[in-house]
Amino acid sequence: MSDHKMRLGAFLMAGGHHISSWRHPDAYAPAGTSIEHFIELAQIAERGKFDMLFVEDAAAIRERNPDMASQAARSTMFEPLSLLAALAVNTSHIGLVATASTTYNEPYGLARTFAAIDQLSGGRAGWNLVTSASELEAENFASSGLRPHSERYERAEEFADAALALWDSVEDGAYLAGGQFADPARLHPVHHKGKHFTVDGILESPRSPQGRPIMVQAGASDVGKELAARTADVVFAASQTIGEARAYYADVKQRLVKYGRQPDDIKILPGISPIVAETESEARAKYQALQELIPDAVGVALLASYLSIGDLSAHPIDGPLPDIPQTQAMQSRQQLIVDLGKRENLSIRDLARNFAGARGHWQVFGTPAQIADAMEERFLAGAADGFNVMAPLFPSGLEDFVAMVIPELQRRGLFRTEYEGRTLRENLGVGAPAKR
């Protein structure tokens, strides 16, 4: 029985991660704005002893073309921080991680909100820091359009420093200590004046039950990995092959040294989209049933949006991808798509259908033992500390994983049978942060 355990996130997304999940006979089409649906998903994941649930965000509709938007359920979803507050009072152990942008927020406001969710949940909050690469988001906030990649990350570096300083502005025991409501010696005002932000104050909250909310990062560019190595507790990654996953894992872990951090200070969780059934043929039939629901135009539009080129309709759908110029948007995901197309000699149609399942993340089909085998191989090969599980269809995909794969992982000693700690940080096994 191994003492080395996987960490698991449950990546929630309305009806499912497959682009056509909402069309499936088992789907609950209005899932994106049903709090009962998300509470059910959170409680299923908690029953499976997941470390955390994970919610993504984009402050915009996801598709500019009305014809395409009308065929994909990607634009109706709760604002994630509001959703976490609701889920906090309907769960008791699972971590609660939401995405928030450093490009369209201010450090004090965001640090304050995550501190509040952390207090509401008893130390289970986490922030997935993103710089927001969508032009549709930019159009909602900035007249100058999408900021260049380098500028977004420069702002993100400063934003993270200011937020961390705010969380550290209050020591443990600062309130209701020694006959005083507040002990001034344990309050440390932040005096930050940088290129992008000015913050001069103290966070109006007790210190987090877990030291600080967990920091999550998903950048795969060089500057993104550097930011993760300096500030993140968890990294969410996308890798198609075990070779890619091992290279990414080693790269991020070795960057920790220059910041005085240890390899276990960061947990790297690549995405996995599993389809599990009692037999392999049944699992593949489940996948095909979803694939048959994809209109080609929707699949190609999704692919084009992640390539950040707007439109692929001028190119033959059964031909290869054209040469794609480097973008200012999602550079690493663009490269993943180009590499996948070349490696497997896929046409635009094939690539779009592949991408529609999990947006470039690893897709696995099979029995519980086959899914566990695949996860165990990457876990033991130094390619992952665990996985962010992306069910193609909710709630059935998550229920199947909890009912069939979790017991198999537990039987192999690869996953917990009970929560070890009270907070998300304790359950992830990442140390208490040093004060800045």
Side-chain angles (χ1 to χ4, degrees), residues 149 221-222 307-309 323-332 334-335 338:
H149 186 271
S221 65
D222 194 61
L307 286 166
S308 305
I309 60 172
D323 290 336
I324 306 291
Q326 187 179 54
T327 176
Q328 288 297 322
M330 293 178 282
Q331 295 180 350
S332 55
Q334 182 191 64
Q335 192 60 50
V338 171

Side-chain angles (χ1 to χ4, degrees), residues 86-97:
L87 298 181
V89 296
N90 284 280
T91 53
S92 56
H93 291 91
I94 194 166
L96 307 163
V97 177

Side-chain angles (χ1 to χ4, degrees), residues 391-403:
L393 179 66
F394 287 123
S396 61
L398 185 59
E399 286 177 323
D400 289 347
F401 188 89
V402 168

